[in-house]
Amino acid sequence: MNSFRNRLLFWLVTLIVTVLIALGLLLGQLLKDFYAETMNKRMEKEAKALAILLENEPLERIRLDLKEMGDELSSRITVLDRHQRLQFDSGRIAAISDEDHERIIRTILRKKQFPRFSVIEKANDVYYYIAPYGHGSGRGGYVILSTPTSSLKKVSQQIWGVLVSSLGMALIVIVALGWKIANQYMRPIEAATKVAFELEKGNYAARVPDGEYKEAGMLVRSINRLARNLQEMSRAREIQTDRLHTLIENVGSGLLFIDHRGHIHLINRAFQTYFHLDSSDCLYRPYADVLPHRDIIKLIDDIFITETAMRRHMRLTIGIERKHFDVYGAPIIGTNAEWKGIVVVFHDITELKRLEQIRKDFVANVSHELKTPVTSIKGFAETLLDGAMKDEEALEHFLTIILKESERLQTLVEELLDLSKIEQHGFQLQLEDVDVAEVIAEAAAVFRQKAEEKQIDLRVEALPGLVIRGDRNRLKQILINLLANALAYTPEHGQVAVEAEEKEKEVLIHVKDTGIGIEEKEIPRIFERFYRIDKARSRDSGGTGLGLSIVKHLVEAHHGYITVASEVGRGTVFTIHFPKPER
């Protein structure tokens, strides 16, 4: 704003100076012309008076008078006869020689004809006035009155001096008044402009300071009222935005907003958690390039095409899990039927589906799992009671089977109770700093003899000093269950390895085997209760179908997760991801 004030003053001063200079030039010229005209008239009167004197008096009698008159008039009086011969000359009064003076006069006379009029001309800074004289129609000669222009120059200088001084004083006064007026009116405008700039930047707390602004006071008060209103509106909008953001981020359902161009503009925390996505990888990108599931993309495509709300149930595979969602999508239509985009809400009903499936499968699975050992125990007991107990060899064989089936029944009940305990809301871990290498060594030691019996190479690779925060016994249980599966499904002369490594934000434990492998479509189900890939082999190996379910729940209780990579006939790798402890 200072530059604006300076520009305003510059143009104001320029305008005033221009006007004053033009006025000075005009006044100076008018005064100069007026003085010159006055001087010309005076010389004309003086020359005519001399002409009258020469007409009435002989030249010889008035020579002395003409000499005195020339001195009094500060002019040079020259008299020529009618043949332009010099009759009288009062003497030099300017820096012009007599020869030049005579030549100038004759030059003027050659150019002018004087039937009855006189002539005035300027030559060499001297005014010449020539007037003819004579009686009747006859011409007696010419009288020439010449006056230097020094007096005119002196008067002109005086005129310009007065004009410059007076106009200069006027300029100073006008500039001072202009500066004062500019300050008086520009100061509030500058303050209001600064506040307007701050409001434009979003600083709604800016205000114009109070002061005596006179005519600009209305502008200042309006700016301050605008700032207060904007601040209140901004505060209300921030509160509303915070509430909306909190609601969107903490709502239990996944939320996805797509604009009219098909670009993702919003995903909430629940959606990111469901699909393991990062907002930085999704926002402002086409949904077809970001969303990993074709069913979701097809639903959004259908909503774009039909412009109607839709609701579908989807079963989606996310990592190693199979999740169920109740998905509702609706178009957003603004005023004047303006297409805004699409909002899609994902309700995770996996737990409801799981509980429903558990209710359906539990009785069947438990009864099926319990039926075999109970039937075996009952059958062999009846056989013994029917007389087989007298056969010592048969008795020992049947009792061994009964013991094995009872142990299997006991294991099943214990694992069911353990799983039920883990799933309880109040389940707590006994957390401590655990050396990963020690836990792996303890778990591997349990299976050394079994590995040697099957001629399986059991290797352990873990750097000492690698620590995680967890429950030692539960971590050992996780590894024992994974190693038991690996040894059970790995044929003779195979390999089983347990490896641990450290990443930037997590600790990874890999359990690798060269067993039969798992088909890709089976991987999402291997952590379900009682699910077996090879049911005959699992039952023969003594498995209950609950081990991996227990592993998954225990890993999640440690705030980690487990991934599976497998190839049929080549082997399987279970990778447990534990967060690194904060230091």
Side-chain angles (χ1 to χ4, degrees):
M1 289 302 295
N2 286 332
S3 60
F4 176 74
R5 183 196 302 181
N6 294 336
R7 289 198 304 272
L8 177 64
L9 288 174
F10 171 77
W11 289 112
L12 178 63
V13 170
T14 302
L15 176 62
I16 294 172
V17 169
T18 303
V19 171
L20 292 179
I21 290 175
L23 181 62
L25 292 174
L26 178 62
L27 292 176
Q29 190 61 40
L30 289 175
L31 292 174
K32 181 179 178 181
D33 291 344
F34 173 77
Y35 185 77
E37 182 67 19
T38 303
M39 184 176 178
N40 291 340
K41 290 182 177 180
R42 181 181 66 82
M43 290 182 67
E44 181 182 1
K45 292 179 180 179
E46 291 172 353
K48 288 182 177 180
L50 291 173
I52 294 172
L53 179 62
L54 289 171
E55 289 176 356
N56 295 321
E57 295 290 340
L59 178 60
E60 297 301 329
R61 292 179 57 183
I62 60 174
R63 283 181 177 272
L64 293 176
D65 295 333
L66 292 176
K67 182 67 174 176
E68 292 178 0
M69 291 175 67
D71 294 337
E72 289 295 329
L73 296 175
S74 299
S75 300
R76 184 173 184 174
I77 301 173
T78 306
V79 180
L80 302 178
D81 61 11
R82 60 182 177 178
H83 300 294
Q84 300 182 5
R85 291 191 298 268
L86 181 64
Q87 299 295 318
F88 174 80
D89 190 12
S90 61
R92 182 186 305 179
I93 61 171
I96 299 177
S97 63
D98 295 340
E99 292 79 7
D100 292 336
H101 177 71
E102 187 175 350
R103 178 178 53 78
I104 292 170
I105 293 174
R106 297 188 185 280
T107 301
I108 296 173
L109 290 173
R110 279 197 301 270
K111 292 190 298 181
K112 306 293 183 179
Q113 298 297 326
F114 306 96
R116 65 183 63 182
F117 301 106
S118 37
V119 64
I120 183 169
E121 285 199 11
K122 178 182 178 183
N124 291 4
D125 294 330
V126 178
Y127 277 108
Y128 291 88
Y129 194 93
I130 302 176
Y133 68 92
H135 296 282
S137 60
R139 180 174 298 174
Y142 303 95
V143 59
I144 298 97
L145 189 64
S146 56
T147 302
T149 59
S150 58
S151 59
L152 181 61
K153 289 182 178 180
K154 184 176 180 181
V155 171
S156 179
Q157 291 175 354
Q158 293 175 349
I159 292 173
W160 278 110
V162 173
L163 287 175
V164 168
S165 59
S166 59
L167 295 180
M169 291 297 296
L171 174 63
I172 293 173
V173 173
I174 293 174
V175 169
L177 290 175
W179 177 264
K180 182 177 180 181
I181 293 172
N183 280 337
Q184 181 178 352
Y185 285 95
M186 290 302 299
R187 188 183 301 112
I189 295 175
E190 289 175 0
T193 303
K194 290 180 181 178
V195 172
F197 285 152
E198 292 298 321
L199 296 178
E200 182 184 6
K201 296 176 183 177
N203 180 18
Y204 301 130
R207 297 289 187 276
V208 182
D210 294 333
E212 295 293 333
Y213 296 117
K214 298 182 179 179
E215 291 82 356
M218 186 177 295
L219 172 63
V220 171
R221 289 189 293 273
S222 299
I223 289 290
N224 286 339
R225 281 197 300 268
L226 175 63
R228 282 191 294 271
N229 293 337
L230 287 175
Q231 187 175 23
E232 293 174 0
M233 292 171 59
S234 175
R235 188 179 296 112
R237 185 185 64 184
E238 287 176 359
I239 294 173
Q240 184 177 6
T241 302
D242 289 341
R243 290 175 179 173
L244 181 61
H245 179 75
T246 303
L247 175 63
I248 291 174
E249 287 299 320
N250 294 283
V251 71
S253 301
L255 190 63
L256 172 67
F257 175 70
I258 301 170
D259 66 8
H260 66 283
R261 299 178 302 164
H263 290 186
I264 295 176
H265 266 239
L266 183 145
I267 57 174
N268 68 346
R269 188 182 305 163
F271 184 88
Q272 297 176 52
T273 303
Y274 288 160
F275 297 97
H276 304 304
L277 295 174
D278 192 348
S279 60
S280 60
D281 298 331
C282 301
L283 294 180
Y284 313 113
R285 294 181 59 191
Y287 66 89
D289 297 342
V290 174
L291 299 179
H293 300 283
R294 183 60 197 168
D295 292 342
I296 301 176
I297 296 175
K298 187 176 185 306
L299 171 65
I300 297 172
D301 290 341
D302 293 342
I303 297 174
F304 267 112
I305 293 172
T306 62
E307 297 186 5
T308 57
M310 294 187 179
R311 187 169 197 164
R312 293 180 186 174
H313 293 279
M314 295 183 184
R315 188 177 66 177
L316 305 175
T317 300
I318 304 173
I320 62 173
E321 295 182 310
R322 183 172 293 173
K323 287 183 173 288
H324 296 265
F325 292 97
D326 181 14
V327 184
Y328 177 78
I332 302 174
I333 308 297
T335 57
N336 300 323
E338 182 182 3
W339 179 265
K340 296 287 188 179
I342 289 175
V343 62
V344 186
V345 182
F346 295 81
H347 299 287
D348 186 3
I349 58 174
T350 304
E351 189 66 20
L352 295 176
K353 288 287 185 180
R354 188 181 70 84
L355 293 175
E356 182 182 352
Q357 190 65 34
I358 287 175
R359 285 194 297 269
K360 291 179 181 179
D361 295 343
F362 183 75
V363 174
N365 287 328
V366 172
S367 62
H368 179 72
E369 293 296 329
L370 293 175
K371 182 179 180 180
T372 301
V374 170
T375 302
S376 298
I377 293 172
K378 179 181 179 182
F380 286 114
E382 289 176 349
T383 303
L384 290 174
L385 291 174
D386 287 342
M389 68 176 61
K390 296 179 180 179
D391 185 349
E392 293 184 2
E393 184 177 349
L395 176 61
E396 183 179 358
H397 177 67
F398 288 166
L399 290 176
T400 301
I401 293 175
I402 291 174
L403 178 61
K404 182 179 179 181
E405 292 298 333
S406 63
E407 288 176 350
R408 180 179 170 188
L409 185 61
Q410 181 183 6
T411 301
L412 177 61
V413 173
E414 288 177 351
E415 289 190 352
L416 280 173
L417 292 175
D418 197 16
L419 184 60
S420 176
K421 180 181 178 181
I422 294 171
E423 289 180 336
Q424 287 180 1
H425 181 68
F427 174 70
Q428 292 183 348
L429 299 172
Q430 302 299 321
L431 297 178
E432 59 179 316
D433 289 337
V434 180
D435 190 304
V436 176
E438 292 180 1
V439 175
I440 292 176
E442 292 175 4
V446 176
F447 296 96
R448 287 292 180 189
Q449 183 177 354
K450 184 176 181 180
E452 291 176 358
E453 292 174 356
K454 293 187 67 173
Q455 298 181 359
I456 293 176
D457 180 17
L458 178 57
R459 294 184 298 103
V460 174
E461 295 181 8
L463 295 175
L466 191 58
V467 177
I468 61 175
R469 187 75 176 169
D471 188 322
R472 175 182 290 271
N473 293 328
R474 292 299 184 179
L475 292 174
K476 185 176 178 180
Q477 184 180 2
I478 292 170
L479 292 173
I480 288 175
N481 283 342
L482 292 177
L483 283 171
N485 277 351
L487 291 170
Y489 290 101
T490 300
E492 294 181 357
H493 307 290
Q495 294 181 350
V496 174
V498 184
E499 301 173 356
E501 62 174 326
E502 183 179 12
K503 296 292 185 180
E504 182 180 356
K505 295 182 179 180
E506 57 186 6
V507 175
L508 306 182
I509 300 177
H510 307 282
V511 179
K512 305 178 181 179
D513 65 61
T514 58
I516 62 174
I518 307 171
E519 293 185 7
E520 186 177 356
K521 65 179 181 179
E522 301 282 353
I523 291 177
R525 299 199 61 192
I526 62 176
F527 294 97
E528 295 178 5
R529 298 183 184 189
F530 302 110
Y531 185 80
R532 292 186 177 91
I533 300 171
D534 187 342
K535 296 177 175 55
R537 179 176 300 203
S538 298
R539 189 169 288 110
D540 291 341
S541 64
T544 62
L546 298 174
L548 289 181
S549 181
I550 293 174
V551 167
K552 179 175 179 294
H553 282 82
L554 287 177
V555 170
E556 290 177 350
H558 283 82
H559 304 290
Y561 62 97
I562 186 169
T563 58
V564 182
S566 182
E567 186 177 350
V568 176
R570 299 291 297 275
T572 305
V573 179
F574 286 84
T575 302
I576 310 171
H577 301 253
F578 289 115
K580 291 179 66 174
E582 297 181 358
R583 298 297 181 188

